Amino acid sequence: MLREIFIVFILVFSTGVSGLDLQTAFKAIDQSRKGPFSLNYQQGTESRTVTGQGWPKGEHLFQAAFREDQFARALANEESFYVGNLFTTNYFELMGEYVFGDAYGSHPLDHNALLAQSPAARAKAMTMVRHWVLEKHYIQHFPLSGLARGFRTWGVSDTANEIEYARYFFDFYLSAIKTKDEFAILPAMLLLKASPVGESPSIERARILVAEAYDYFATRFAAQDPRLNRMREIRNAVHNQMSPEIVGMIDQYDRDFPYYRKEGHTNLFKVREILLVYYAVGPKVVLTAAKELDDSKLIAAAQDLIDAGPRLEQLLNLSEQGAQLRLHLPSVPYFKKTDALKALAVIAQYLNKEVTALSTIESPAVLKVIVNTVYMEGFLITDNWKLYVEELADLKTAKAGVGLLAEVSEIGQLTLGQAFEPALDQWLLLEPKMQYFVDNSIKASALNTAAITAEKLTHKGL
């Protein structure tokens, strides 16, 4: 099936560190009570103090736990392997190193000075983001690990500060990367979705929850037990073809099999909550994001959706405006970069939802919406996107573009692999199950929308 996508990564570990060294340091971090973190500090512009032991000198900036010295900081400095990633400390560290000459010192904030140093700082920022996204995936899939435990420790970070510094970080990151750094967009998009400024719930989390539920009950019930069969259907739907109908499937399961609620199980209900929020994203949410960005064309496209409804013409217009925003992201003003990335994420989420719900997909315009959305999410670089848009112009029917959708999916997968080199190789060396990062990222993206649409076109015989 087209949506069952797998990539074989050749594990070439080229960072110069031996596997034993990386594995030993990571194991030590995982066994520490606070994982990768030091004590909790209050950071001021002139000093930092341990939380509870006085107030720092100068203006107070944030409260957070920095990377601990022996292993987490050493891995960052010597092997460019970043764990313990927080927006406060990562942004502060970049500014300290490239503006004030000391990554671990105390200093005021000078955003313009850091921007001026972006040619020197961009490579480290890009490495941070790659590892940051992978660390979040690891924590989700290994919630009992020491790394995950460290993030649950009280005082590791303050939510209000994280929101503030997330905007600082994204504004800088998106301003620092160059036109040639197009592979850096995809990690930024994935990080934003999992950040405090991203409003979308984690579909990956829904997949983890439903898989945990199924695996547990597979040990209790016989293979053909109706309770297990129906749960298998829910699991497969969540993993392969996300749609609002899954909420109804869960509700029906609750009605037909009261044992689940009576025994106090909750995973399916948590999945239901995630999907309700995810599929509640509508044109008003898109309009709000467009207004925050103050993009008149996006505002008009979102308003047209509200007035006319999610017809294909309106969806195509929104996708084209979103693709133009992605194309001209470098020219978005510095302190609007985060708003632009957030708008792209919201538009893509909305379009993925609407396209998978379309009952009529004969028009090649559907394919153009998908290709534009894949581009918005960062799975296509600009040259590839332009090429596919040109090819779409010659199509008479959507079915004629099934091969094109398959090619877009293949290129998108390759983009994902390139975007996370060499960080993913390092994480795979530590934990082979990190390979599922690839599949989960694809299934939560417009590449999955492309696969679902291609399958519909193939099986309907349109």
Side-chain angles (χ1 to χ4, degrees):
M1 294 171 66
L2 285 173
R3 66 171 173 265
E4 295 301 324
I5 302 166
F6 299 95
I7 301 174
V8 177
F9 284 94
I10 299 174
L11 303 184
V12 180
F13 193 70
S14 58
T15 62
V17 61
S18 71
L20 179 63
D21 290 338
L22 179 60
Q23 290 169 320
T24 300
F26 189 81
K27 184 176 180 180
I29 291 170
D30 207 53
Q31 292 177 343
S32 172
R33 183 182 68 85
K34 287 195 68 176
F37 294 108
S38 67
L39 297 173
N40 302 333
Y41 286 93
Q42 300 293 337
Q43 179 65 58
T45 55
E46 297 178 26
S47 70
R48 72 174 61 114
T49 58
V50 175
T51 297
Q53 296 184 14
W55 209 242
K57 295 180 181 179
E59 178 187 355
H60 182 264
L61 298 176
F62 60 85
Q63 174 270 313
F66 289 79
R67 293 183 182 88
E68 59 86 22
D69 295 353
Q70 188 175 3
F71 295 108
R73 187 179 293 183
L75 282 178
N77 290 340
E78 299 172 20
E79 315 301 343
S80 296
F81 187 95
Y82 288 86
V83 289
N85 293 288
L86 299 172
F87 285 101
T88 47
T89 53
N90 278 4
Y91 186 73
F92 201 70
E93 175 183 322
L94 284 172
M95 185 173 291
E97 179 173 356
Y98 293 100
V99 176
F100 297 96
D102 183 359
Y104 306 110
S106 297
H107 53 78
L109 295 181
D110 192 335
H111 308 296
N112 290 329
L114 180 58
L115 179 61
Q117 293 299 318
S118 61
R122 54 183 276 278
K124 176 171 283 192
M126 291 164 63
T127 301
M128 278 182 174
V129 169
R130 287 192 290 265
H131 280 282
W132 208 332
V133 173
L134 292 166
E135 180 181 51
K136 285 181 176 294
H137 177 87
Y138 181 90
I139 289 169
Q140 278 198 320
H141 281 77
F142 299 95
L144 300 181
S145 66
L147 196 62
R149 183 175 62 248
F151 279 90
R152 292 194 299 267
T153 304
W154 182 87
V156 164
S157 63
D158 178 88
T159 302
N161 293 146
E162 280 292 285
I163 293 173
E164 177 185 1
Y165 279 74
R167 297 189 70 87
Y168 294 156
F169 187 93
F170 283 119
D171 285 342
F172 167 73
Y173 179 89
L174 295 169
S175 298
I177 59 177
K178 306 299 182 184
T179 302
K180 65 180 181 179
D181 298 325
E182 281 201 83
F183 291 116
I185 297 295
L186 176 55
M189 179 66 78
L190 295 177
L191 180 59
L192 179 123
K193 291 179 180 180
S195 77
V197 297
E199 296 179 344
S200 301
S202 173
I203 294 301
E204 183 178 349
R205 179 61 180 159
R207 292 193 172 98
I208 294 170
L209 288 167
V210 76
E212 287 176 349
Y214 177 80
D215 290 345
Y216 170 74
F217 287 106
T219 66
R220 285 184 52 183
F221 303 143
Q224 298 307 314
D225 190 302
R227 293 168 294 184
L228 188 62
N229 280 338
R230 289 274 291 282
M231 189 174 290
R232 185 185 299 115
E233 292 175 1
I234 295 172
R235 181 202 63 177
N236 292 348
V238 172
H239 276 264
N240 297 323
Q241 190 165 334
M242 296 292 296
S243 71
E245 285 70 30
I246 297 172
V247 172
M249 294 171 68
I250 293 172
D251 290 343
Q252 190 63 48
Y253 192 93
D254 187 29
R255 289 191 293 270
D256 292 346
F257 303 112
Y259 85 93
Y260 189 84
R261 184 182 293 271
K262 288 180 179 178
E263 290 184 6
H265 304 295
T266 60
N267 276 30
L268 291 184
F269 303 137
K270 290 177 182 177
V271 170
R272 184 182 187 277
E273 292 172 4
I274 289 173
L275 296 182
L276 282 175
V277 175
Y278 182 81
Y279 285 108
V281 173
K284 289 185 178 179
V285 178
V286 176
L287 180 61
T288 298
K291 287 181 176 179
E292 289 176 354
L293 182 59
D294 196 22
D295 185 311
S296 59
K297 291 183 178 180
L298 273 180
I299 291 171
Q303 188 62 56
D304 192 25
L305 276 165
I306 294 172
D307 296 339
R311 299 174 182 173
L312 183 54
E313 179 183 353
Q314 280 69 36
L315 296 177
L316 177 59
N317 181 37
L318 179 63
S319 76
E320 290 177 337
Q321 296 307 322
Q324 288 300 311
L325 174 60
R326 162 71 177 84
L327 177 64
H328 297 292
L329 190 58
S331 63
V332 173
Y334 183 89
F335 286 108
K336 284 291 184 179
K337 297 285 191 184
T338 303
D339 292 327
L341 194 65
K342 183 178 176 181
L344 289 172
V346 169
I347 293 167
Q349 180 182 345
Y350 174 73
L351 290 173
N352 282 324
K353 179 192 74 168
E354 293 297 333
V355 170
T356 54
L358 286 173
S359 57
T360 302
I361 55 174
E362 291 89 347
S363 170
V366 173
L367 308 191
K368 189 169 184 181
V369 174
I370 293 172
V371 169
N372 286 340
T373 308
V374 172
Y375 176 57
M376 277 184 267
E377 291 182 339
F379 285 93
L380 287 178
I381 63 173
T382 300
D383 286 346
N384 286 336
W385 167 68
K386 288 180 177 179
L387 175 64
Y388 289 125
V389 169
E390 289 179 4
E391 291 184 14
L392 285 169
D394 297 328
L395 293 182
K396 303 301 182 184
T397 66
K399 187 178 180 180
V402 169
L404 184 147
L405 285 181
E407 188 175 327
V408 167
S409 294
E410 182 179 355
I411 295 297
Q413 296 168 58
L414 294 174
T415 299
L416 179 63
Q418 288 184 267
F420 282 91
E421 290 179 346
L424 183 56
D425 292 345
Q426 293 173 288
W427 281 90
L428 284 167
L429 186 65
L430 296 171
E431 176 48 70
K433 289 183 180 179
M434 284 293 288
Q435 66 182 301
Y436 296 117
F437 165 77
V438 175
D439 197 44
N440 287 340
S441 298
I442 290 169
K443 287 180 176 176
S445 75
L447 296 181
N448 195 51
T449 305
I452 291 170
T453 303
E455 195 167 293
K456 287 179 180 178
L457 289 168
T458 301
H459 288 131
K460 285 187 175 182
L462 296 173

